[in-house]
Amino acid sequence: MSRPDRMPGRGELDAALAILGTKSALALLLAARCGCQRFGDLVAHAGVSEMIGAARLKGFVDAGLMARRAYRSPQCTRYEYVLTDLGRRSLPILGELVRFGAAIGPTDSTDAAES
């Protein structure tokens, strides 16, 4: 048997999981898929704290999954987050996870600490 670090695709899987491998990352991606773009809407829809949301969204921007765009509110400049082409390519993966979750049914796991 080959070593795990030499398995074909292992490095690519690790790279994907580094960005998408948390409940909060997937919840934010789901919120974006549902049309949320503004920071407050994304974190509220995803059910994550502002601190966690800011860190995950920064990771998405740094990885090229989302772009951060300025918009003007009455008080100041704020930012919204929009999916890039790469981010949109991740949506079928999210869809499959949602379908898989529907197939296995609800769990008792409410581990919000791992966000």
Side-chain angles (χ1 to χ4, degrees), residues 39-62:
F39 178 80
D41 295 337
L42 284 162
V43 297
H45 191 85
V48 300
S49 71
E50 288 186 1
M51 187 173 82
I52 295 280
R56 297 290 181 261
L57 290 170
K58 181 182 183 320
F60 286 171
V61 170
D62 291 348

Side-chain angles (χ1 to χ4, degrees), residues 76-87:
C76 62
T77 300
R78 296 183 181 262
Y79 295 91
E80 63 185 7
Y81 296 84
V82 294
L83 290 168
T84 63
D85 287 340
L86 183 61

Side-chain angles (χ1 to χ4, degrees), residues 2-12:
S2 65
R3 291 182 27 195
D5 60 341
R6 295 203 179 145
M7 262 191 300
R10 177 61 190 261
E12 294 84 352

Side-chain angles (χ1 to χ4, degrees), residues 2-104:
S2 65
R3 291 182 27 195
D5 60 341
R6 295 203 179 145
M7 262 191 300
R10 177 61 190 261
E12 294 84 352
L13 179 62
D14 289 347
L17 290 174
I19 299 166
L20 300 175
T22 63
K23 290 179 186 179
S24 58
L26 294 173
L28 285 163
L29 192 59
L30 183 62
R33 185 181 85 166
C34 291
C36 296
Q37 292 183 331
R38 294 184 175 181
F39 178 80
D41 295 337
L42 284 162
V43 297
H45 191 85
V48 300
S49 71
E50 288 186 1
M51 187 173 82
I52 295 280
R56 297 290 181 261
L57 290 170
K58 181 182 183 320
F60 286 171
V61 170
D62 291 348
L65 271 73
M66 290 186 138
R68 190 176 123 165
R69 292 192 311 208
Y71 70 91
R72 189 87 178 124
S73 76
Q75 298 84 13
C76 62
T77 300
R78 296 183 181 262
Y79 295 91
E80 63 185 7
Y81 296 84
V82 294
L83 290 168
T84 63
D85 287 340
L86 183 61
R88 285 187 293 278
R89 286 177 54 196
S90 69
L91 296 180
I93 299 163
L94 181 64
E96 286 301 317
L97 285 170
V98 169
R99 282 186 282 286
F100 180 75
I104 63 172

